[in-house]
């Protein structure tokens, strides 16, 4: 007779995770052109780009790979703003325009004045952010 206890079948089953609720979020991908806004820290160093595309109801945050952890963490403010915009049912580019008007130098990061522009694709923006 073995001294091992049989494993309860509840612990051997694979969990099937299914999100049933959560905050409203813009889509994370698009193949179309994206409007984007440069974001800088207090020293003026660009720490990321907030982007948007209305056709795919998509928006997000792109971070250069070389950033320090503190600079990456400063991006949380922009992600929260995107969630708040989606919760208010703003179109992604309307949210981006709102962020462009809200420069506040007392924050750890701010929208770079006059930096709202467009990239032909999200992939091009990501390549630019990576230094490519």
């Amino acid at each position: 007779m073995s001294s091992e206890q049989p494993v309860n079948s509840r612990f051997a089953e694979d969990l099937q995770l299914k999100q049933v609720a959560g905050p409203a979020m813009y889509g994370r991908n698009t193949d179309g052109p994206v409007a984007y806004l440069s974001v800088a820290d207090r020293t003026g160093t660009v720490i990321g780009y907030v982007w948007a595309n209305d056709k795919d109801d998509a928006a997000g945050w792109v971070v250069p790979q070389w950033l320090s952890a503190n600079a990456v963490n400063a991006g949380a403010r922009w992600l929260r703003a995107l969630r708040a915009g989606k919760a208010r049912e703003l179109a992604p580019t309307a949210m981006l325009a709102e962020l462009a008007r809200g420069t506040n130098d007392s924050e750890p990061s701010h929208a770079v004045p006059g930096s709202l522009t467009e990239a032909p694709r999200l992939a091009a923006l990501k390549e630019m952010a990576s230094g490519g």
Side-chain angles (χ1 to χ4, degrees):
M1 196 136 152
S2 173
S3 63
E4 287 186 36
Q5 295 283 335
V7 175
N8 186 314
S9 63
R10 290 181 300 165
F11 299 119
E13 294 176 14
D14 286 334
L15 292 176
Q16 301 298 317
L17 300 177
K18 179 179 169 186
Q19 183 174 352
V20 293
M25 293 175 49
Y26 294 113
R28 295 182 184 177
N29 291 305
T30 182
D31 289 329
V34 294
Y36 70 91
L37 178 64
S38 300
V39 175
D41 64 11
R42 287 185 176 127
T43 67
T45 302
V46 173
I47 61 167
Y49 305 91
V50 182
W51 61 269
N53 173 288
D54 286 343
K55 181 178 175 244
D56 294 321
D57 194 35
W61 172 250
V62 174
V63 181
Q65 295 176 351
W66 48 267
L67 286 181
S68 69
N70 286 340
V72 171
N73 289 339
R77 170 183 177 221
W78 302 93
L79 292 171
R80 285 190 304 272
L82 290 174
R83 284 193 200 111
K86 180 63 176 177
R88 292 182 353 219
E89 299 181 358
L90 287 176
T93 57
M95 182 66 220
L96 196 63
E98 189 175 285
L99 291 174
R101 290 188 301 271
T103 58
N104 185 348
D105 292 331
S106 67
E107 295 289 338
S109 59
H110 62 276
V112 175
S115 69
L116 187 57
T117 190
E118 192 169 293
R121 293 177 24 132
L122 180 56
L125 178 60
K126 288 179 177 180
E127 184 177 327
M128 181 185 78
S130 70

